[in-house]
Amino acid sequence: MPTDLPPELLRTIFLHTAKLSTPACRTLCAVSSWVRHLALPVLYQTIFIRNTEHLDAFGTSITHPLACPPSPSFDPADAVRHLWVPHTFETHAFWTLAPLVMRPNVTHLAIHLSDLATVLNGTPPSPSERQDSHSRAGTHTGKDDLHVNLLGSSSRHIDTAHSLFRRITHLRLIEPIKPKVWQAINAMANLTHLAVPGNIERGSDWIFDLVEDTSIEVFVLVLQDGRKRPEIENWVRSSRKENEWIYAVWVVWRWGELELEWDIEVRGAREDEVNTLPNACSR
């Protein structure tokens, strides 16, 4: 339908709509070549890989020529900013995930610890990276911050000498801390925000031990059991008198809600904006 809107305004409207959800972005890619050139990079910004079929399809899409790309040099992998990988793919994931996870353009990563171990153990850092990884000062510029959600734990060895660990500034754990996760957290030299599930029934010394030798500025204890809410609230208030970096939140979520919450966060959209679009949660 003809419109008198200036091209600059149309561009803003199309880009805003494309960022709200993958279905909306796919629709825009089929409108015209001009709109496709705007929407296609956005389509690859947020990627959800839920099974091996998704993994194989995505691997094909980033290694084969695209129809009507924004430019001859357009590389879909360079457009990826947010990557959600909720299941364990083990070695099957390496060839597709490793090139993406290690790219500096990825700013938000939700991944199972086992898959992260597969990626990092299979792509060893250079000697200079391994040496620098032991230094906590002067190694981080803030331009390549990485926000990570660990969607599952693992007992596998993980190579914490990677420069990737220096990029991680925000970390959220979905499962309680285990030894391998402790090891990984201690290697995150620039970690400033940490959210972990847990309670204080077994004491709170582990919280202070965790923060003492790290750069953590905000610690959030994520609680789902409200039976001892008054007791825990009192503990948090008391602790914050001397440790203002401690917070606690109560959440009730199912797996699908966690995914939607992450999707809203990385897109920078409000929940009501996402929910007004048809099939906004199906990708």
Side-chain angles (χ1 to χ4, degrees):
M1 182 174 64
T3 178
D4 294 329
L5 293 176
E8 294 80 5
L9 182 56
L10 285 174
R11 185 179 188 276
T12 299
I13 293 172
F14 287 144
L15 284 176
H16 179 72
T17 304
K19 291 177 181 179
L20 290 182
S21 77
T22 300
C25 193
R26 283 200 301 261
T27 300
L28 288 175
C29 285
V31 170
S32 70
S33 59
W34 178 73
V35 178
R36 179 179 174 84
H37 288 173
L38 291 176
L40 196 59
V42 179
L43 182 65
Y44 281 93
Q45 279 187 3
T46 304
I47 302 297
F48 289 78
I49 299 177
R50 299 187 179 87
N51 51 51
T52 54
E53 288 76 17
H54 288 179
L55 188 65
D56 292 337
F58 180 68
T60 300
S61 72
I62 62 176
T63 55
H64 288 68
L66 296 173
C68 194
S71 68
S73 61
F74 175 70
D75 183 353
D78 286 337
V80 177
R81 299 290 183 271
H82 321 126
L83 183 61
W84 173 278
V85 191
H87 301 297
T88 304
F89 294 104
E90 299 296 344
T91 55
H92 184 81
F94 175 72
W95 297 110
T96 300
L97 290 182
L100 282 177
V101 171
M102 301 304 295
R103 282 178 178 258
N105 48 280
V106 175
T107 60
H108 291 76
L109 175 65
I111 191 170
H112 195 286
L113 182 60
S114 182
D115 273 344
L116 185 61
T118 296
V119 169
L120 298 184
N121 294 345
T123 53
S126 65
S128 60
E129 288 179 328
R130 194 174 292 274
Q131 180 179 2
D132 291 344
S133 68
H134 296 290
S135 173
R136 292 187 174 272
T139 60
H140 188 70
T141 63
K143 296 180 180 179
D144 57 350
D145 290 357
L146 180 62
H147 296 216
V148 175
N149 280 33
L150 281 184
L151 303 178
S153 189
S154 173
S155 59
R156 294 183 55 193
H157 166 74
I158 184 167
D159 188 350
T160 58
H162 259 279
S163 58
L164 178 81
F165 281 91
R166 294 199 306 276
R167 289 188 55 210
I168 299 175
T169 58
H170 294 63
L171 177 66
R172 178 179 179 182
L173 306 181
I174 306 305
E175 296 183 0
I177 292 180
K178 294 182 179 180
K180 292 296 182 181
V181 181
W182 274 101
Q183 179 185 2
I185 291 175
N186 287 331
M188 299 175 188
N190 295 289
L191 183 66
T192 58
H193 293 67
L194 174 64
V196 302
N199 55 55
I200 59 170
E201 293 180 358
R202 298 181 179 178
S204 57
D205 289 344
W206 63 276
I207 296 176
F208 301 102
D209 291 341
L210 175 66
V211 176
E212 182 178 3
D213 297 324
T214 66
S215 54
I216 293 175
E217 300 172 1
V218 176
F219 177 89
V220 181
L221 194 62
V222 182
L223 304 150
Q224 293 181 267
D225 187 352
R227 289 175 295 180
K228 294 192 175 183
R229 181 165 182 163
E231 175 185 342
I232 297 178
E233 286 181 343
N234 289 334
W235 174 82
V236 171
R237 291 192 185 97
S238 175
S239 299
R240 282 181 54 80
K241 291 179 181 179
E242 296 182 0
N243 305 282
E244 294 184 352
W245 42 264
I246 294 180
Y247 297 85
V249 296
W250 273 260
V251 297
V252 178
W253 54 267
R254 295 183 294 273
W255 188 263
E257 293 172 345
L258 178 66
E259 180 179 313
L260 177 60
E261 173 192 315
W262 183 85
D263 191 17
I264 293 171
E265 175 188 347
V266 300
R267 293 182 192 273
R270 301 192 309 270
E271 185 172 2
D272 58 341
E273 288 180 318
V274 174
N275 289 336
T276 57
L277 293 171
N279 301 318
C281 298
S282 61
R283 303 164 184 85

